[in-house]
Amino acid sequence: MNADALDDYILSHIDEEGDLLAELNRDAHVNLLRPRMLSGHLQGRILKMFCRMLRPRRILEIGTYTGYATLCMAEGIDDDALIYSIEINDEMEDFINKYVSKSPDKHKIKVCFGDAMDIIPSLGETFDMVFIDADKRLYSAYFDLVFPFVREGGIILADNILWDGKVLTPPQPADKQTVGILDFNEKIKQDTRIEKVILPLRDGLTVIWKK
Ligand SMILES: C[S@@+](CC[C@H](N)C(=O)[O-])C[C@H]1O[C@@H](n2cnc3c(N)ncnc32)[C@H](O)[C@@H]1O
C-alpha cells in the first residue's frame, strides 16, 4: 500500500483548503524553518468539521505558529463565536497578521502573544473547545492549567501525541519532548474526570471529553 498515494486520494476527495490557506502553506514552506508544524489540509478540515459539529462559542488554541489551524477553526464556528490563540514567538506576528487580516473570519480570532502558562488564567473565559499544540514538554502543565477553564461537556484536543512513533520506545532522559508526551499520554489514560480516544491522524490527535 502506498501511503503517499492514499494521502493524495484523501486530499482529492475532501473539501479543498481554499486559496488563502494554500497561499499561507506555500509561504510557510518557502520562508519558515519548520513548516511541518502547521496542521495542514487534512487536519485543518477535520478541525473545521469538529467546529461544525460541536458549535463551540469559545475556543482556546495553545500554539498559533502560522495561524493555519486558527483560520480553519474560524471557518467552522458561528459568526459571533471567538477563538483565542496564544503564541509565544512574537517573530510570527507579521506572518500571522498577514493571513488573519485577509480572512473573512478575522473578527472571530484574537491572537495573544506570550507564554500560554501566563496568559490562560488572565483570559477570564470558559472554553467549549481547547486545542493543545505547543511545547511538548509542557502538555501536562497546559492540561492541568486549562482544565478548570473548560466547561463540563467541553472538548480538549491534543496534537502530536504519537510524536513520530517515538512513544513506542523508551526515551533518552535528555529527550524532554518525548518524555513530556509520554507523561501526558499516561496522565490522560489515568484521569477519570474525562473520556478519551486517540485518532491515528497524522502525528496522532487525542480527543478528550470533560465529564
Ligand atoms: C506545532 S506549532 C502550532 C501549530 C498550529 N497550532 C497549527 O496547527 O497550525 C507550536 C507553536 O507553539 C508555540 N509555543 C511553544 N510554547 C508555547 C507556550 N508556552 N505558549 C504559547 N505558544 C507556545 C511555538 O512557538 C510554535 O509556534
Side-chain angles (χ1 to χ4, degrees):
M1 193 169 60
N2 181 332
D4 287 343
L6 271 183
D7 283 350
D8 289 345
Y9 181 84
I10 291 169
L11 294 185
S12 62
H13 289 80
I14 64 172
D15 288 336
E16 290 178 2
E17 62 185 344
D19 291 343
L20 183 65
L21 290 167
E23 185 190 334
L24 182 161
N25 214 339
R26 273 195 305 275
D27 194 353
H29 277 81
V30 172
N31 294 309
L32 299 181
L33 277 181
R34 301 175 65 199
R36 280 189 63 223
M37 288 206 304
L38 63 81
S39 272
H41 185 169
L42 176 59
Q43 185 159 301
R45 290 307 92 190
I46 288 172
L47 290 170
K48 178 182 174 185
M49 188 62 85
F50 270 123
C51 292
R52 288 285 193 223
M53 294 188 298
L54 300 167
R55 298 193 63 193
R57 311 279 317 147
R58 290 289 179 272
I59 298 180
L60 173 66
E61 179 183 34
I62 307 177
T64 317
Y65 187 41
T66 60
Y68 187 99
T70 326
L71 289 164
C72 294
M73 292 187 285
E75 281 180 42
I77 56 176
D78 291 352
D79 212 44
D80 57 348
L82 190 60
I83 302 175
Y84 292 87
S85 185
I86 308 176
E87 174 52 54
I88 202 167
N89 180 3
D90 57 16
E91 287 178 7
M92 290 307 299
E93 190 165 355
D94 289 347
F95 192 102
I96 294 166
N97 286 342
K98 176 175 169 190
Y99 290 97
V100 169
S101 66
K102 287 190 208 176
S103 164
D105 301 305
K106 56 179 173 285
H107 57 288
K108 307 177 197 170
I109 295 172
K110 189 167 166 39
V111 181
C112 311
F113 289 94
D115 189 334
M117 298 299 289
D118 301 329
I119 292 176
I120 290 169
S122 70
L123 292 175
E125 291 280 10
T126 301
F127 296 100
D128 307 296
M129 184 168 137
V130 176
F131 181 34
I132 300 178
D133 192 17
D135 186 340
K136 309 310 161 197
R137 294 168 296 189
L138 296 179
Y139 265 35
S140 294
Y142 298 140
F143 179 83
D144 287 339
L145 182 63
V146 86
F147 197 78
F149 300 108
V150 178
R151 71 160 167 82
E152 289 178 8
I155 293 287
I156 301 172
L157 305 170
D159 198 14
N160 306 107
I161 54 75
L162 300 178
W163 205 224
D164 238 350
K166 290 185 196 154
V167 290
L168 294 182
T169 45
Q172 299 293 325
D175 182 358
K176 302 283 187 222
Q177 300 197 71
T178 305
V179 171
I181 291 286
L182 286 168
D183 287 351
F184 175 75
N185 289 343
E186 213 47 47
K187 176 187 177 68
I188 294 304
K189 178 188 167 187
Q190 306 294 342
D191 196 326
T192 55
R193 301 168 301 169
I194 55 177
E195 293 180 10
K196 53 273 183 181
V197 66
I198 292 174
L199 299 183
L201 165 71
R202 224 172 61 123
D203 200 19
L205 185 73
T206 300
V207 182
I208 296 163
W209 181 73
K210 181 170 175 176
K211 293 181 186 171

